[in-house]
Amino acid sequence: LATMISEISRRHPSYLRVKELFETVEAYRRIGQAIYEQWRAGHVETIYDFACGHGLLGILLAYRFPKLRVVCVDLERRPAFDHYLEVARDLDVALENVCYVEADFRNLALPPKSYVICIHACNEATKIALEAATAAGACYAAMPCCIRDGIYLHRIKHVDDPTRYAAAVGVIAGQFGAYKITAIDERITNRNLIILGKATG
């Protein structure tokens, strides 16, 4: 993986901004462990990365879990994704289990044993992803960013931004039956909390 990331950086430096790289790798570590635990329990066959952006998280997960199908979903396929695959092929890394779907993830039907990921999808997008996961009885991991008043509760007032964010994430975790809240280093992003949910189907 280190060689692949180094080669991507050398060939296509504009596609690996430092913050996004650190954020993705740290999210991969936390979420990858959660997926592993649910896979060992027999709950995961397909991973969906909703609002995936550049798709690097999906690439990393496809590498770690070659027996699982990984579907990266966003409204527009970014060139970075194809460059990541190009570098992987040149390094003889088989990533036949990952694909990119250009679609509104609200229109996708989740098959049994899905794992839904939603990293820094803004405002209602996280809620929509978690509603889809819950309806399908799927596992999920979400790292919310923008949480506008009125989406999950009317308002959180008279507190500073970190407290407001932590309280809002707690509300989301409660509404969607999360079993764990974890985090990446807040020096990478101040929107660093990850909510994890188990399969219910």
Side-chain angles (χ1 to χ4, degrees):
L1 283 177
T3 301
M4 189 170 79
I5 289 171
S6 177
E7 187 63 12
I8 291 168
S9 179
R10 186 184 70 79
R11 294 191 200 181
H12 309 289
S14 63
Y15 294 131
L16 276 183
R17 294 187 299 176
V18 172
K19 176 188 177 292
E20 285 187 350
L21 177 60
F22 280 22
E23 190 174 271
T24 301
V25 170
E26 286 300 299
Y28 160 75
R29 290 178 60 212
R30 297 286 185 272
I31 294 170
Q33 181 60 33
I35 292 171
Y36 174 75
E37 292 166 3
Q38 295 302 311
W39 172 68
R40 286 290 303 269
H43 300 312
V44 185
E45 291 180 355
T46 308
I47 300 168
Y48 285 87
D49 185 5
F50 286 170
C52 68
H54 46 63
L56 181 58
L57 179 58
I59 296 280
L60 297 178
L61 291 170
Y63 177 82
R64 178 169 180 180
F65 298 105
K67 294 182 179 179
L68 299 180
R69 181 170 172 249
V70 179
V71 183
C72 299
V73 184
D74 213 323
L75 294 174
E76 182 179 351
R77 184 179 181 127
R78 300 190 189 178
F81 183 79
D82 293 307
H83 293 314
Y84 298 156
L85 289 180
E86 167 200 310
V87 169
R89 281 193 300 269
D90 290 350
L91 294 173
D92 293 323
V93 177
L95 292 174
E96 304 295 329
N97 58 325
V98 64
C99 68
Y100 200 112
V101 174
E102 289 182 281
D104 185 332
F105 61 74
R106 289 176 292 188
N107 299 326
L108 294 182
L110 296 173
K113 298 188 177 181
S114 292
Y115 198 111
V116 172
I117 300 169
C118 194
I119 303 298
H120 285 182
C122 291
N123 293 312
E124 288 88 356
T126 296
K127 185 172 188 282
I128 292 165
L130 294 182
E131 287 173 344
T134 302
C139 307
Y140 68 79
M143 187 159 64
C145 58
C146 311
I147 307 171
R148 191 172 59 241
D149 286 339
I151 298 176
Y152 302 98
L153 73 169
H154 180 62
R155 185 171 296 171
I156 301 172
K157 300 193 327 185
H158 310 303
V159 295
D160 59 18
D161 182 69
T163 304
R164 182 188 180 283
Y165 174 68
V169 168
V171 168
I172 298 168
Q175 284 186 6
F176 289 97
Y179 72 93
K180 183 186 290 186
I181 298 176
T182 186
I184 66 171
D185 195 319
E186 65 181 354
R187 292 172 295 179
I188 300 170
T189 175
N190 63 353
R191 298 298 187 250
N192 64 322
L193 298 178
I194 302 173
I195 306 165
L196 300 173
K198 292 181 178 179
T200 57

